[in-house]
Amino acid sequence: MSYTFTILSPTDTPLFTHEFGTSRSGGDGVPRFTATERAMNPFILHSALDIVEEVQWGTSSSSGSAAMYLKHIDKYQNNFISCWITGANVRFLLLTRPRDEALGLGSGGAGSQRGSLAGGRAGLGGNAGGVYNPTSPATEEAVKNFFVDVYEVWVKTIMNPFFHVGNGDVVKSPVFRARVAAAAKKYL
Amino acid sequence: MTPQHVSPKKPPNYPANMEASMVLPRQRMSPAASLAGLPYRRSNPSLHKLFESTASISGSRPNSGTVTPTPSVVSGSVFSPGGRQNGTGTPGSLPPGLSDEHRNLIHRAFVPHVAVLADADADKLIRGKGLEGGFLQLLRPFGESVPGKVTIRDSVGASKSYDDFGIRFVDGNNEAAAGRGAEPRIDTTNTPRTSSSSIRPRRTGGDVAHIEELVDRHLQYSEFNTQDMVSDYLNQGNPNVPSEGTSSPFYTLYLRRLLSGMPMVPHETFAHPVAGIIAISSQSQNPIEEFRKLYNRQHDGDLRLPQWAENDYLRYYVLIHDEENGDIAKSNQTFDAMKRHFGLHCHLLRLKSQQCIPSDDDSVRLPTCEWMPASEELAEIQKRETVDDMTDPAPYLPDSDITAIRTFVRELVAQSVIPNMERNIATLNEQVLARRRGLSGRFMSLSKRWTTFGSSRNSSSPTIGSSNSNYDSLQGFYRPDTPEAQMRKLADYCFMLRDWKLALSTYDILRTDFNNDKAWRHYAGAAEMAAMSALLSPAPLSSKTKMENIDTWIEIASYSYTDRQRSAAPYYALRTLALGLELLRLRSFSVADDAARWASRILENGLVGPIGAALFTERISACYAVRTGLGTLRLGTRRRKAAMWSVMAAETWFRLDKALQAEKCLDAALRLYGINIEHGQGGAVKLPFDQMQSFIDDLRQQILGLRLQNRGFADGEEEGEEGVGEGEQGGEVEEATEAFNSSPRLHRKSLIGAVAPLIDMNGPRSPMLERERESRGLGEEGFQ
């Protein structure tokens, strides 16, 4: 599985972007985006903000306070997007691209599926075991842990008096990046 | 959020590998060679007429009053029904900013079919007038819109008038033959058929590949035709921003062709004839006998309909009187005899027999058929391409003929077809539906279900398990006299006469019945039409449960149409989804997401070819764009989604070499992005992600290159690539985009409007650009 993690300011400016692969089940932590997917990712993340803005005002499941972790909110083709929103309306977006096998696509590839009409359902209905499910408790928990760690580091970063999120200051700190990478390695 | 599961769709092939896409232009032939190689680039006036007529009909239709009307590029022809479409057809409130163009289209697509059968003499008479297709060809264009208002009384007795009612004239001659091989042949394997020989002019549609090819032709034409450029150039003064409600004319064309020429199939009765015209010429020796002969052929002879179709429809007898060679006294006599024999459903049609030429005094061009199926239009295009005739081959008719035919059609519809349908509805409602709905009917269906259940448990062969049901599961149809078939007919009649309420309730009952009988395709059909009638009915439908119902129905229909192994009918699945998405989009803002979801379902299931994919991608963007959000903060808007899909569409178009369309989509995308980005005051808007910015700029440059190439500038090729190369440096890139933001037309015009053979893509030699760059440089500094 490959991930793109982006922090967006309230004015939709990306402040930090990090790409990584899974470290679970023998993954080496290297993202496996194809060039086309990589070009699409910003578009997908950006378009997910529409949904974020809708979900963030919705009723919260946690009593009293609104939830910061919005869970899986959007999906574009095979890309799943989870979101965490901070009190200052800074959005953490995590885009997950599961491997094809995890989506139930055979090695035959998507190309052969597309033309055949009978194959139309094979992919859609392929809800059997092993398919990536963004709303399964295990996935949600892992993503949540990741976000919690990142949030902690983020809070420390914005405590820096020379750093202004509102001005669209991009996070350049190598420490921050290392921490995010560590959290990613730990949980995803 | 799209709840459906992961699709097997291959990820969009983006030209992020820039080498690949930059090589693309080079592979193409030099313009001169390709000009010779592609027959459809050649434009002769008659061909132009054909393209123009379709494009103008679909493109320049005025919208409902709330939309700022887009100035039509081509003024509609005299016969294009322009002003009538102002949403007067069916009452229904519409969210502001939307045109109900597509709802009208759907209204006009599901109309009664009338079979036309003429004897040899009559056809000879018409052929003498220059119409090769005989009587049918003469009538067809006039059936599409019945002149004047048509009043229809619905099941509760309230009458409503519609002025966009029409009927479809179909061939009574080979209809039966076409109907037997009714399985619509569809291959959405993405190879558009290019060999001209493989296309037979068929009168039935339902072939997605043909539709794709046809729309491709139209696109090619607009791409390579200068006429478009010129009017673009003229519009330069007021760069007008197309409103979101309007859609690309090509999409409308696609939908229209999708709904044209519905094939005759057992599971729906829309294409089954509601009435049949039998026409003979007054030259005939024994007219009454001739009528009887034709009737017998049609009723039980060689022209009989397949056994799943109702054969006892209304017959309408027409005597064609030749004004020049015939004796009117004799014709009147015959007509009186006809009325004595056949009752009221007779008409005496007086036509002139001699051929009319355009230069004649009161000659009128025979209108083009709006609703011809894709295969037929393709054949027509090919015919005109091969003929190097500079004149317009469309036949001309004297004014008196036109008036006579109009009167005839109006009389036929208002006095025979509609009353007959109303009577049928009333009878069926009383005799079949009421019985089924009543206590005994429920009990019957229940007991049937139980016995079916019991027998299938006992019997070893499950195929004949449902011996008790009326469904012939081996051949897959209900006989026309079974209650199910009659109810389907009733529901379809209601649908065609726009009585959505009764239609909906009938389809709903049918749905359960078909489900019990495991008649999957019938089931899908009932679910589809239930959803359509629920969406079309003007009554408000806000309650959550109702919307969920509709969702389920569309889901069921698209699933059952495609996926039951034995009866895959992707054409119908496409129809369900496309109509569903259009109607949902018009319904309200809150369900626009659903509309977009169904549209992406079309793409994911691979129901369309490349052209359709591009069009529907564009459509998804339009669906999202409908959601404008609430209040000043624009909460719940979907602009970013819409913009993303627009970029996708632009990219898809670019890969199909359709520079104009690609550019249009890209402009739309930037407009959508531009609104969302706060700090852009009057121009200098930058996209939030650098990657997005550079992607869009690269795409823009490539499209420009392609455009130049399509215009035939050989030099444009290297220039275009140079532009791309420079685009990576950043500074140039911003400039290009901003140019479009500040004034979408200016930049392009400076390139295209010039006739000079060599045009520098980078623009410094163009004074207009130079000026722009200066002003922009200032703006940029201020911005940063």
Side-chain angles (χ1 to χ4, degrees):
Chain A
M1 277 194 275
S2 311
Y3 296 93
T4 305
F5 173 67
T6 304
I7 298 177
L8 285 141
S9 80
T11 51
D12 295 2
T13 321
L15 305 176
F16 175 81
T17 302
H18 185 60
E19 271 185 12
F20 54 92
T22 183
S23 304
R24 296 268 142 155
S25 58
D28 52 0
V30 179
R32 301 256 189 278
F33 288 113
T34 61
T36 35
E37 283 170 345
R38 189 160 284 145
M40 271 318 284
N41 282 345
F43 286 95
I44 297 168
L45 286 168
H46 185 254
S47 71
L49 289 176
D50 273 340
I51 310 292
V52 175
E53 281 179 3
E54 184 154 319
V55 174
Q56 81 182 86
W57 302 113
T59 51
S60 63
S61 51
S62 60
S63 59
S65 61
M68 295 176 113
Y69 179 39
L70 302 180
K71 300 186 181 169
H72 168 243
I73 53 156
D74 196 13
K75 163 179 175 291
Y76 170 75
Q77 289 182 358
N78 298 330
N79 302 290
F80 302 89
I81 292 169
S82 313
C83 177
W84 174 284
I85 187 160
T86 74
N89 210 16
V90 170
R91 277 77 51 97
F92 297 177
L93 292 181
L94 181 72
L95 181 146
T96 310
R97 167 77 171 92
R99 282 168 304 130
D100 283 351
E101 300 87 77
L103 293 168
L105 310 181
S107 55
S112 66
Q113 295 272 15
R114 214 180 119 72
S116 73
L117 290 156
R121 191 166 104 243
L124 291 172
N127 208 356
V131 176
Y132 178 79
N133 178 11
T135 53
S136 73
T139 317
E140 282 191 348
E141 194 58 29
V143 174
K144 182 180 182 180
N145 288 335
F146 168 74
F147 275 143
V148 167
D149 270 24
V150 174
Y151 182 54
E152 193 187 333
V153 194
W154 173 253
V155 169
K156 286 176 186 163
T157 310
I158 55 172
M159 282 202 275
N160 177 358
F162 299 104
F163 180 75
H164 295 287
V165 181
N167 292 357
D169 278 357
V170 176
V171 183
K172 297 196 200 81
S173 159
V175 181
F176 184 76
R177 189 169 291 272
R179 292 272 173 86
V180 171
K185 194 166 177 201
K186 198 164 155 200
Y187 296 114
L188 295 176
Chain B
M1 266 190 280
T2 43
Q4 71 259 42
H5 288 279
V6 179
S7 67
K9 186 180 190 276
K10 68 174 176 192
N13 184 13
Y14 266 78
N17 44 349
M18 280 305 165
E19 296 85 5
S21 43
M22 270 164 53
V23 175
L24 189 70
R26 258 195 224 119
Q27 293 169 340
R28 250 174 263 124
M29 292 177 284
S30 86
S34 51
L35 268 174
L38 298 170
Y40 41 77
R41 276 199 194 171
R42 223 154 23 122
S43 161
N44 59 28
S46 71
L47 194 59
H48 173 75
K49 196 93 183 169
L50 198 63
F51 281 118
E52 178 217 71
S53 61
T54 324
S56 72
I57 283 169
S58 44
S60 68
R61 169 156 303 152
N63 312 301
S64 60
T66 45
V67 185
T68 40
T70 46
S72 61
V73 168
V74 191
S75 62
S77 72
V78 192
F79 297 104
S80 83
R84 293 187 298 99
Q85 303 303 319
N86 288 329
T88 47
T90 304
S93 62
L94 210 60
L98 282 179
S99 80
D100 55 354
E101 179 190 3
H102 291 126
R103 194 194 316 209
N104 280 327
L105 193 76
I106 294 167
H107 281 164
R108 285 152 43 87
F110 293 92
V111 293
H113 283 58
V114 175
V116 177
L117 187 64
D119 76 335
D121 276 346
D123 268 346
K124 208 176 88 197
L125 171 74
I126 308 291
R127 270 194 207 103
K129 294 165 72 67
L131 284 96
E132 281 310 305
F135 193 49
L136 177 67
Q137 194 199 347
L138 182 69
L139 284 188
R140 265 175 97 202
F142 298 98
E144 283 170 353
S145 62
V146 178
K149 276 191 191 293
V150 173
T151 307
I152 301 170
R153 186 181 290 268
D154 68 8
S155 55
V156 290
S159 53
K160 270 187 198 133
S161 297
Y162 303 99
D163 54 5
D164 60 347
F165 197 81
I167 51 174
R168 207 78 77 238
F169 289 111
V170 291
D171 201 347
N173 233 333
N174 60 14
E175 182 180 51
R180 279 202 190 93
E183 292 313 294
R185 202 163 40 83
I186 298 166
D187 48 321
T188 38
T189 47
N190 305 333
T191 49
R193 214 164 307 155
T194 40
S195 65
S196 55
S197 58
S198 69
I199 293 158
R200 285 178 301 130
R202 288 187 312 153
R203 286 265 160 77
T204 46
D207 192 330
V208 181
H210 281 164
I211 302 170
E212 295 265 326
E213 193 182 338
L214 175 77
V215 178
D216 192 27
R217 285 295 177 91
H218 279 267
L219 283 164
Q220 289 280 4
Y221 185 78
S222 83
E223 201 74 32
F224 290 107
N225 201 291
T226 45
Q227 175 256 352
D228 210 359
M229 293 291 172
V230 172
S231 48
D232 250 13
Y233 184 74
L234 291 177
N235 281 347
Q236 190 189 347
N238 46 349
N240 118 298
V241 180
S243 69
E244 287 144 22
T246 59
S247 62
S248 114
F250 299 102
Y251 179 73
T252 316
L253 176 69
Y254 196 95
L255 268 192
R256 183 191 295 275
R257 288 294 168 257
L258 189 68
L259 296 173
S260 304
M262 292 178 194
M264 202 165 146
V265 285
H267 72 267
E268 61 178 27
T269 66
F270 289 113
H272 297 197
V274 167
I277 292 178
I278 298 179
I280 64 160
S281 149
S282 61
Q283 308 287 331
S284 166
Q285 295 305 322
N286 192 349
I288 305 294
E289 200 44 48
E290 188 71 20
F291 276 128
R292 282 194 200 289
K293 224 168 66 196
L294 283 176
Y295 174 81
N296 282 335
R297 275 180 74 199
Q298 203 176 38
H299 193 257
D300 10 59
D302 55 336
L303 298 177
R304 200 192 176 285
L305 292 174
Q307 52 172 331
W308 33 260
E310 174 81 54
N311 212 16
D312 288 319
Y313 45 85
L314 171 81
R315 296 305 198 290
Y316 196 90
Y317 302 92
V318 179
L319 182 69
I320 302 174
H321 171 70
D322 181 349
E323 287 275 36
E324 273 137 3
N325 303 326
D327 174 15
I328 185 67
K330 183 167 159 271
S331 292
N332 273 332
Q333 213 177 356
T334 319
F335 186 55
D336 285 342
M338 275 166 66
K339 275 202 269 194
R340 273 201 305 279
H341 275 87
F342 304 118
L344 283 174
H345 302 301
C346 297
H347 193 92
L348 175 65
L349 185 62
R350 296 166 67 162
L351 298 176
K352 287 184 180 152
S353 62
Q354 89 190 158
Q355 193 164 0
C356 191
I357 52 169
S359 56
D360 277 358
D361 262 353
D362 51 354
S363 69
V364 182
R365 187 171 176 273
L366 184 74
T368 332
C369 251
E370 260 185 74
W371 290 94
M372 54 177 148
S375 49
E376 196 187 338
E377 195 182 346
L378 268 180
E380 185 75 4
I381 290 173
Q382 274 160 3
K383 204 174 82 197
R384 296 201 189 178
E385 271 168 2
T386 44
V387 177
D388 260 335
D389 194 1
M390 293 313 272
T391 56
D392 181 12
Y396 282 74
L397 297 174
D399 204 19
S400 61
D401 279 9
I402 304 258
T403 322
I405 296 169
R406 287 236 160 98
T407 321
F408 159 60
V409 171
R410 166 138 189 104
E411 201 170 289
L412 167 75
V413 171
Q415 291 176 18
S416 293
V417 172
I418 287 183
N420 188 52
M421 285 172 85
E422 283 168 353
R423 220 169 14 248
N424 262 325
I425 289 176
T427 324
L428 290 174
N429 198 357
E430 238 166 63
Q431 293 178 358
V432 185
L433 189 64
R435 204 181 293 165
R436 167 68 182 79
R437 261 199 194 137
L439 194 63
S440 61
R442 278 188 200 159
F443 183 71
M444 279 284 284
S445 87
L446 206 66
S447 69
K448 205 200 293 178
R449 211 181 310 171
W450 281 103
T451 47
T452 311
F453 180 58
S455 72
S456 72
R457 194 169 48 183
N458 295 337
S459 69
S460 54
S461 58
T463 43
I464 19 173
S466 55
S467 56
N468 209 356
S469 91
N470 291 319
Y471 183 57
D472 185 344
S473 59
L474 283 179
Q475 299 181 72
F477 63 82
Y478 290 87
R479 299 196 61 81
D481 49 354
T482 57
E484 283 87 352
Q486 301 231 309
M487 269 156 67
R488 173 79 210 200
K489 193 171 106 178
L490 162 68
D492 284 351
Y493 276 18
C494 289
F495 194 88
M496 289 191 272
L497 294 187
R498 306 183 192 180
D499 183 356
W500 316 119
K501 216 169 140 229
L502 183 57
L504 173 59
S505 62
T506 315
Y507 283 127
D508 208 24
I509 291 174
L510 278 174
R511 216 167 38 84
T512 51
D513 284 3
F514 290 148
N515 196 13
N516 292 336
D517 286 349
K518 299 193 173 51
W520 297 127
R521 196 179 284 202
H522 289 75
Y523 177 50
E528 175 193 6
M529 293 332 283
M532 293 311 137
S533 33
L535 285 171
L536 277 167
S537 74
L541 169 92
S542 52
S543 72
K544 193 71 188 159
T545 51
K546 272 262 186 151
M547 222 58 219
E548 276 160 9
N549 273 345
I550 292 174
D551 240 33
T552 329
W553 292 336
I554 297 180
E555 170 83 48
I556 286 171
S558 67
Y559 179 87
S560 299
Y561 272 140
T562 42
D563 297 318
R564 307 282 177 183
Q565 280 304 311
R566 290 227 332 265
S567 64
Y571 162 70
Y572 291 102
L574 176 59
R575 193 180 75 181
T576 311
L577 291 175
L579 298 192
L581 98 91
E582 280 313 323
L583 293 174
L584 275 173
R585 181 173 171 270
L586 291 179
R587 202 70 213 184
S588 72
F589 294 134
S590 52
V591 290
D593 274 357
D594 287 331
R597 200 178 78 231
W598 294 125
S600 46
R601 172 71 62 91
I602 293 176
L603 300 181
E604 282 169 3
N605 281 3
L607 294 176
V608 287
I611 300 281
L615 285 170
F616 279 107
T617 310
E618 213 179 315
R619 206 64 197 149
I620 296 176
S621 168
C623 287
Y624 277 125
V626 176
R627 274 189 73 137
T628 44
L630 298 168
T632 44
L633 285 175
R634 292 180 168 278
L635 289 177
T637 170
R638 292 278 182 277
R639 289 223 172 252
R640 287 173 270 211
K641 286 234 171 243
M644 177 183 81
W645 283 98
S646 267
V647 174
M648 305 265 300
E651 211 275 335
T652 320
W653 282 124
F654 171 72
R655 269 189 281 134
L656 293 171
D657 285 358
K658 305 282 184 288
L660 273 181
Q661 299 300 315
E663 187 148 30
K664 229 175 62 193
C665 287
L666 203 54
D667 284 350
L670 287 177
R671 222 168 22 242
L672 288 165
Y673 277 129
I675 287 170
N676 216 357
I677 294 165
E678 301 292 327
H679 45 262
Q681 267 123 22
V685 180
K686 196 167 162 303
L687 291 178
F689 283 82
D690 287 341
Q691 296 166 53
M692 284 163 82
Q693 187 70 53
S694 63
F695 179 84
I696 284 185
D697 294 333
D698 288 344
L699 192 58
R700 164 82 66 198
Q701 294 288 351
Q702 287 175 20
I703 291 172
L704 273 177
L706 177 64
R707 236 180 110 94
L708 283 188
Q709 202 158 34
N710 285 354
R711 310 291 320 133
F713 288 115
D715 306 41
E717 196 168 315
E718 296 112 56
E719 301 281 346
E721 281 168 23
E722 230 174 85
V724 174
E726 246 177 74
E728 279 150 13
Q729 292 166 10
E732 285 288 322
V733 165
E734 271 174 41
E735 177 210 30
T737 324
E738 283 156 17
F740 275 94
N741 274 331
S742 54
S743 158
R745 297 279 180 224
L746 228 50
H747 187 183
R748 191 169 64 202
K749 285 305 130 4
S750 68
L751 296 178
I752 307 306
V755 210
L758 188 119
I759 290 179
D760 195 337
M761 280 288 297
N762 300 325
R765 274 172 241 167
S766 149
M768 203 180 275
L769 266 189
E770 199 75 327
R771 227 179 302 129
E772 256 184 64
R773 173 184 290 180
E774 276 168 27
S775 63
R776 209 172 309 106
L778 289 175
E780 245 170 57
E781 275 164 35
F783 164 60
Q784 283 160 357

